[in-house]
Each structure stands twice: as C-alpha cells, then as structure tokens.
Amino acid sequence: MDVRQAASPAARPSILADIDWRAVFWQVLVVGLVVGGVWWLVANTLHNLEVRRIAAGFGFLEREAGFGIGEAPIPYAPTDTYARALFVGILNTLKVAAIGIVLATILGTLVGVARLSRNWLLARLAGAYVEVMRNVPLLVQLFFWYALLQGLPAPRRAEGWFGDTMFLTNRGVFLPAPVWQPAFAWALAAFAAGLVAALVWRARAKARQAATGERPALLRTTLGLLLIPPLAVLALAGTAVQVDVPALQGFNIRGGWAVTPEFTALLVGLTLYTAAFIGEIVRAGILAVSKGQWEAAEALGLDRGATLRLIVLPQALRVIIPPTTSQYLALTKNSSLAVAIGYPDLVSVANTTINQTGQAIEGVAIIMAAYLTVSLSISAVMNWYNRRIALVER
Amino acid sequence: MTGPALSWLRANLFNGWVNSAVTLALLYILAGLAIDIAGWAVADAVWSLPAGDSAACRAEGAGACWGFIAQTHRFLLFGTYPVAEQWRPALASALFVALYAVSAPRRFWRRELLVVWVVGLALIFGLMGGGVAGLTVVPASQWGGLPVTLILATIGIAGAFPLAVLLALGRQAKGLPAIRTLCVIYIELIRGVPLISLLFMASVMLPLFLPAGLTIDKLMRAQIAIVLFAAAYLAEVIRGGLQSLPKGQYEAADALGLGYWRKMGLVILPQALRLVIPPLVNTFIGLFKDTSLVLIIGIYDLLNAAKTTVVDPVWLGFGVEAYLTVAAIFFVFCFAMSRYSQRLEVDLNQGVRR
C-alpha cells in the first residue's frame, strides 16, 4: 500500500509530511548519531593509548611469546612468536569443536530417538537427561567434570582398564594408539580412490534406475569399494598394525595416546550439553512429519527403510537442520569457556597475550574476527543448503 | 501385582523381546549406578565437621563431604559480603524470588506490576548497597554469590528489552535501508562472537574507550556487556513475533491513519510480544545460565564463590560437592522457569488450538 497517494499529487502541503523526506531525515539522524558515538569512542581510545604509552597495531605478533602451551597440534615452543601461539590456539579451538560436533550429533540423535521410544523407562531417562543438562550452566558442568577428573587416582595408583591398555588418571586419559607407518599413507590413498569409485557407481546406479526402473545393489557395492582397497593395501604391504599401549614407567604413564584432563573435561562437557539440545531438535523434527506420510508411503508399497530414507528423513531434516546449525555454532562459541579450565584454546592464548603485552584491543579483535569468520562461514553454507532443501511454495 | 499395573508394564516396558531386553539392561545399569551414587552421597557421606577441619572427609572410604557445604554455605551464597550484614543479600535474593513469583500469573500482568518491579528493585539495590535508612555502605566490589547472579540476569533482560525492541523494529523497517543495515550488522556481530569476548571487551577495553576521569565499576561493566549481548538475541526473538503477525494487522493500522509509533505501540507490538512470551522466557533462562561466565573476568557470582571456596587449602579437592551444590541452585531456578514457560505456551495457545 502506498501512503504517499493521500498527500499527492496536486497539493503537497509540507515537506514534513512527506514519507520519503522523513525516511531520509531519520536515517541521516541515526547514522549521524552512530558515527558521532563511534568517533567519540575512537578519539577517547587514541588519547588514552597515548597517555598510557601503548603502541597500537599488530606489531607485537612478531615478538617472542615466551609462554608455554600445554598441548599443541603443531610444534610450538615458548621461543616462537605470538602469531604462532595464537594459531595454535585457533587449531585447539577447531579441534575440540570439530570432535565435539561429531559426538554431540551422534549422542543427540540417540537421545532424540530415545525420548520417542515406546519403552517408558528409556523415554523417561532420556527426558531426565535433557532436563538436567539444559537447566545447569555449561560452565558449572565443565568445572564439575574437571573436578571429577582431578579426583581420579594419580598415574602411579591408577588401575588399568581393558587388560591394562587404558588408564584414567588425574593426569589425563591414556588410550592405546596405532603407530604411524608409511603404508598407512598408501591405504589412505586407496580409500580416497575407493570413495571416488563409489560416488561414480552411485551416479550411474541412479541414472540406471531412472532409465529402467531397476535398482542396482548400492549399499553392498559402496561398502566393498570403500573397505576392500585400503585393507588390500595394508595386507599387501605386509605390515601388521602395531599398537602403542600406554604403560606405567616410574611416576607417570608413557606411550599411547594421552588426552589431557582439560581437553577431556571440555569435550565431555560440550558434548553432553549440546547433545541435550540436539536431542530436542531431533525429537521435534521427527514429530513434525505427519503420520499420513508414513501411511501414504506404505500405500505406495515402500518398505520401512525406504520410507524412512526417502519420505520421512528428507522432511524431518528440513525442520532439524536450521536449529542444529545454530547448535553447532553455539558449541563452537561455547568452546571459548576453555579459558576457565585451562585448555589452551584461542581465547585462552589471546588472554595470556593480552596480559603480557597490554594489547587489549588487538587481542579482543583477533578473538572476535576468528569467531566471526567461523560463524559467518558456517551460516553461509547452511543458508545455501537450507535454500536448496526448502519447500518451494507458490 | 494387580491387573492394570501388570498390563501397564506389558504395554510400556515389556512389549516385545527387544524392549524387554532394553528395559532389563537399563535396570541393571541404573541399579549399579544407584548403589554407587547412594553409597557416595548418603551412606559414606560426612555430614558434619569440626570448624575448619576436613580430616574426616579425607579418611579412607569417606564419601561426599557435605559437612564442607554446611560450613561454607554463607560464602557460597553471598561471597565476600561482610558477614555481619549478610541478612541483606539474603533478603535481596528473597525479594528477587518474590518479584519473579508475582510476575508469573497472567492475571497480574498489568500496569501496576511495573510499579511493583521499580519499588522492588529500588529496595534490592538499597539493601545491597546501603547508605540509606541507616544501613552501612557496602561497595559493589564486595557483593557476591547468588544476589549478583540474580542482579546480572534480571537487569540484563530489563535493560536489553527496550534496546531489543528498537533493534527488531529497525531490522524490519522497510523504507529505511541505512537503519536496517546498522541493526543487521549489530545483531549478527554480537551473535557471531562468544559472550566471553564481550566480557573481555567490557573488562579490559571499556576503560580505554572512556574519557579520562570517568570510571565505571567492574560489576557495572559486566552488566553493560550482558545487556548488549542479550539485546541481540532478544531482538531476534521479537523479530520472530513481528514476522508471524498477519500482514492485515499492519495494513489495518495504516488504514486507521495511525503513524509509525502509534501503529507499532498500539497494534503491532502488543500482539507480537504476546506471541513470543514463551521464547522470551527461554532466552531469559539462557541468559541466567550465561551470567556464570562473569567468573572469567573475576566477578564474584555464585559459581565464582564456589570456585574460590575449593581453592582454600582446607577444602582443596572437594570441587565435586561444591559444583553439585551450585548446579542444584541453578537447576531449581532454570527448571522452574522452563516448566513455567511450557505451561504458559499451552495457556496462551488455548484460543488458537482446537
């Protein structure tokens, strides 16, 4: 509707009543206020920095950091630069977020399905889990898990699990780890080749079904293409997989794959917390598909598996995916709570950097830029995906 | 066992062999856990201790150290607030709970409630800060524990709400692209970064932003960060309400010749806000939990009080008990609110649902 027509065209009483002019006026006013406010803050900041003799800029990144980092996916020493320390922080953040997202998705799906189970006990247990997790702050949970891990016995007195191959101690969790061998690289390459072949096979199977109505065996072939080549390479190379088993030596446990208590507490906390939210989303998504859809698919003669795959899941996913994306983003942002329990994530490293150099503005800017990059890129991908699967109405 | 009970068991726990196996496996695991936890939390627990002596809790085979909570509960609840004056934060917390309770029933949602809130908050801040009615002055740096958590969450929402309404309206404003862009940038920027980075900003950068001589108390700075943070999330909730109103409501207000502000204030917002009350309560629960993050910039909220307690050499290593207690307090508040929001949703939908 156009309000302008009331005032136009013959007699234009006043410029004050013109909706276009008013829009311009309000926008100029608001933008002016915002620019003025920002100007005032920047001027204050520049003045304060000058008074405190803090040199603005990112030059400090090239200086030697001088502090150690408990765990680093890439080689790092205190003699490295701040830039490298911050990069290690980003990698640690991405590591815990990526593993957390995978685990929370699996657990969350199980919880969501369990809440809809016809087994009363299972449904109630899943419900209680969700209520407890959602109503206690994540930070409290992290402290709880960390305190619990600190209460474990020292390595010297720790009992081994699964025939002394796994140890839960107050210095961390020790797991057996396969030893890296050159043949693994070839096996990985074979797996990649198998993956490509499987994708090609899938496309051809689809084309054939569209043309003839026959449905070539997809699952068996895909599994075969994915599993046989890498296993064959390993068998040909003649290397048995060696496992490095952790064992007590002196006062500590050596060997195997050592997971620090900080990482364990953060991962467990993030996973359990986020899984409760994802569980509710999955439950809502499944409930959102009406019963008629199941019945219609049955009437078409589809079996239960095909109904789930072709009819129900695509519709449920449409409801599930957008909120799940926000949960992934929330998990990534929540991983910044690592600073409270001492896991060296980006915020933690940046915090140390700020304390050492006094470059508060640059430090906070780096944190914000890193999270914004992750958030905005995940949202962009998900918005694109969402548009692709969205229902097209009218 | 009677007939109905037996048939209930059949229908809900033992229908088919898969379900029976699941039930039995769950019962087995639950029983094992229940025995372990009951042993730790009840049977082997140490309930009372001599003052400042944790030896009994450190004995071999001792379970939960509840005596520790009994001795430190004042610090846990009120932090570093002067001990002789701790009735004041206790009363302030009780006032907060009373304010929440009074605001819950729908028949109390009227103009007078706003007056009740203003008076209640004035009383709370008078009690906490002192300096009036003969109360000694207690600076905000000594406030701690539960009242700080309640203040941060409540003022956070109250302060964020007007800002959020403006942001939501700005984002929806069709003819004002510049204002719309500003609102979108603000909302997406805040929602894209973790709350911690805003708290850091408030604690280390805000002093740099202000002219020399103007300083803001640390608690106040954290409060500002929480308000700015909450506003972005609330704005998105309110935008949901604005979008779900039928277009006819906007057009009808235009047809009546109402100007923009009267259209929004009299026609659109009352309906849109009513639609989003349940998600608003959920946002409040989220914010209530998020206030625990102020610990990271060194403010003595409920969680930080617990953390400080277990740093004391006497109580070192009893973190599990302390954090379980804090978790229980948070749970009571959040669970009550989430149940309330669920009931509200059903109530408000009564006219719509058939």
Side-chain angles (χ1 to χ4, degrees):
Chain A
M1 177 173 133
D2 198 345
V3 183
R4 267 174 299 178
Q5 279 169 356
S8 63
R12 236 168 218 263
S14 149
I15 200 169
L16 286 177
D18 188 293
I19 204 158
D20 285 338
W21 278 106
R22 291 172 72 148
V24 170
F25 168 75
W26 282 112
Q27 294 188 77
V28 168
L29 183 73
V30 171
V31 172
L33 281 177
V34 170
V35 169
V38 171
W39 177 269
W40 183 69
L41 291 178
V42 169
N44 283 334
T45 311
L46 289 178
H47 175 74
N48 284 330
L49 287 178
E50 207 179 287
V51 170
R52 292 176 204 198
R53 296 178 195 288
I54 302 175
F58 290 90
F60 72 97
L61 286 175
E62 298 303 319
R63 298 213 301 268
E64 184 183 310
F67 59 89
I69 295 182
E71 49 188 307
I74 54 170
Y76 170 83
T79 48
D80 283 328
T81 59
Y82 281 114
R84 192 170 175 91
L86 288 166
F87 185 61
V88 168
I90 291 178
L91 289 181
N92 276 335
T93 293
L94 292 178
K95 181 172 95 175
V96 77
I99 302 178
I101 283 174
V102 172
L103 294 181
T105 307
I106 297 170
L107 184 62
T109 310
L110 291 177
V111 169
V113 173
R115 279 205 74 177
L116 293 172
S117 162
R118 271 156 61 200
N119 187 314
W120 181 86
L121 187 62
L122 185 60
R124 279 302 156 108
L125 274 178
Y129 168 82
V130 169
E131 287 297 344
V132 170
M133 286 296 150
R134 291 205 308 175
N135 287 318
V136 175
L138 175 59
L139 193 57
V140 178
Q141 298 188 30
L142 289 182
F143 278 134
F144 172 80
W145 294 118
Y146 193 55
L148 205 65
L149 287 170
Q150 302 255 290
L152 289 171
R156 202 156 35 92
R157 298 193 305 168
E159 286 172 45
W161 291 48
F162 305 114
D164 277 356
T165 56
M166 191 184 140
F167 293 89
L168 288 174
T169 77
N170 61 3
R171 298 269 190 89
V173 179
F174 294 85
L175 302 166
V179 182
W180 178 260
Q181 286 154 1
F184 285 7
W186 291 107
L188 270 182
F191 179 77
L195 188 66
V196 172
L199 287 176
V200 170
W201 171 258
R202 201 180 115 99
R204 289 187 58 176
K206 257 198 171 153
R208 192 155 148 224
Q209 187 186 348
T212 66
E214 283 172 45
R215 294 174 52 177
L218 196 57
L219 189 67
R220 258 177 301 157
T221 330
T222 309
L223 278 181
L225 282 173
L226 287 183
L227 292 180
I228 294 172
L231 290 177
V233 167
L234 284 183
L236 278 177
T239 43
V241 175
Q242 284 176 6
V243 177
D244 182 15
V245 178
L248 184 65
Q249 281 174 15
F251 288 101
N252 209 346
I253 292 173
R254 307 211 181 277
W257 182 37
V259 189
T260 61
E262 291 80 19
F263 179 78
T264 314
L266 185 63
L267 184 64
V268 168
L270 283 175
T271 302
L272 294 182
Y273 185 76
T274 314
F277 289 88
I278 294 183
E280 285 297 274
I281 294 168
V282 169
R283 183 177 81 116
I286 295 176
L287 285 178
V289 180
S290 73
K291 217 173 133 195
Q293 297 289 324
W294 284 94
E295 292 165 353
E298 202 176 329
L300 285 175
L302 292 178
D303 63 20
R304 225 182 134 76
T307 307
L308 197 64
R309 231 166 3 96
L310 301 173
I311 310 291
V312 176
L313 269 187
Q315 299 185 65
L317 280 181
R318 197 168 284 142
V319 181
I320 290 173
I321 284 176
T324 306
T325 316
S326 340
Q327 286 307 318
Y328 289 169
L329 286 177
L331 186 146
T332 310
K333 284 186 281 169
N334 282 335
S335 72
S336 60
L337 297 187
V339 64
I341 55 171
Y343 174 72
D345 80 321
L346 171 63
V347 173
S348 192
V349 175
N351 191 27
T352 314
T353 307
I354 292 174
N355 288 339
Q356 286 194 359
T357 61
Q359 308 277 358
I361 298 177
E362 292 82 356
V364 174
I366 289 173
I367 297 177
M368 289 190 162
Y371 281 100
L372 269 182
T373 311
V374 174
S375 295
L376 294 181
S377 41
I378 294 186
S379 322
V381 170
M382 290 321 294
N383 283 342
W384 168 80
Y385 182 76
N386 224 353
R387 266 201 307 280
R388 241 193 60 163
I389 65 166
L391 277 182
V392 182
E393 284 182 53
R394 277 185 285 166
Chain B
M1 193 174 277
T2 53
L6 198 65
S7 64
W8 183 88
L9 280 181
R10 265 235 183 101
N12 292 297
L13 292 178
F14 297 102
N15 47 336
W17 65 269
V18 177
N19 254 338
S20 304
V22 169
T23 303
L24 290 178
L26 283 176
L27 281 178
Y28 176 77
I29 296 170
L30 273 183
L33 276 177
I35 290 171
D36 281 355
I37 292 177
W40 177 80
V42 182
D44 298 333
V46 180
W47 294 91
S48 63
L49 286 168
D53 175 15
S54 59
C57 287
R58 299 191 189 278
E60 193 69 26
C65 191
W66 300 125
F68 148 60
I69 303 294
Q71 282 198 12
T72 55
H73 72 277
R74 276 177 161 238
F75 190 84
L76 276 179
L77 285 175
F78 307 126
T80 49
Y81 207 89
V83 178
E85 303 285 331
Q86 280 183 354
W87 61 273
R88 284 157 56 179
L91 195 58
S93 307
L95 270 174
F96 262 123
V97 174
L99 282 176
Y100 297 151
V102 161
S103 318
R106 280 174 64 203
R107 62 173 190 282
F108 289 165
W109 292 357
R110 21 197 299 173
R111 243 155 248 256
E112 289 86 337
L113 192 59
L114 207 63
V115 180
V116 172
W117 267 95
V118 170
V119 172
L121 287 178
L123 277 175
I124 286 168
F125 280 98
L127 273 171
M128 292 299 290
V132 283
L135 295 171
T136 48
V137 175
V138 178
S141 54
Q142 290 184 21
W143 301 3
L146 184 60
V148 167
T149 299
L150 295 173
I151 288 174
L152 286 174
T154 311
I155 306 293
I157 281 284
F161 196 79
L163 185 57
V165 169
L166 289 179
L167 283 169
L169 289 177
R171 194 171 181 167
Q172 291 293 92
K174 294 262 153 48
L176 309 170
I179 292 178
R180 199 172 167 170
T181 314
L182 279 178
C183 291
V184 172
I185 290 176
Y186 177 84
I187 292 171
E188 296 304 331
L189 209 68
I190 299 279
R191 279 163 31 104
V193 298
L195 174 56
I196 287 196
S197 60
L198 287 179
L199 288 172
F200 274 152
M201 206 165 140
S203 87
V204 298
M205 280 167 69
L206 205 57
L208 291 176
F209 285 166
L210 297 174
L214 181 62
T215 52
I216 305 182
D217 171 68
K218 197 165 159 193
L219 186 63
M220 182 70 128
R221 276 184 270 154
Q223 184 73 76
I224 293 173
I226 287 178
V227 166
L228 294 179
F229 179 76
Y233 284 83
L234 280 179
E236 285 298 272
V237 172
I238 295 171
R239 181 165 76 109
L242 291 175
Q243 278 179 341
S244 62
L245 269 197
K247 214 174 155 201
Q249 294 292 331
Y250 291 84
E251 292 168 351
D254 283 338
L256 285 175
L258 295 179
Y260 180 80
W261 292 110
R262 295 220 287 168
K263 172 167 89 174
M264 289 301 163
L266 297 173
V267 180
I268 306 301
L269 280 176
Q271 300 184 71
L273 292 180
R274 176 160 285 249
L275 280 176
V276 294
I277 288 171
L280 281 180
V281 178
N282 285 336
T283 312
F284 185 68
I285 297 175
L287 190 70
F288 191 84
K289 292 189 291 175
D290 280 343
T291 56
S292 56
L293 266 63
V294 296
L295 160 153
I296 293 166
I297 57 167
I299 285 168
Y300 277 89
D301 76 324
L302 190 57
L303 181 57
N304 207 358
K307 195 182 168 219
T308 313
T309 318
V310 294
V311 171
D312 185 340
V314 182
W315 307 117
L316 202 64
F318 298 124
V320 172
E321 287 89 338
Y323 297 131
L324 276 179
T325 310
V326 173
I329 295 174
F330 270 108
F331 182 82
V332 168
F333 277 96
C334 295
F335 186 68
M337 284 189 278
S338 80
R339 273 297 136 102
Y340 170 69
S341 128
Q342 282 164 15
R343 224 193 51 211
L344 206 58
E345 202 158 354
V346 175
D347 277 5
L348 290 176
N349 280 340
Q350 242 159 20
V352 185
R353 197 173 282 168
R354 301 258 160 239

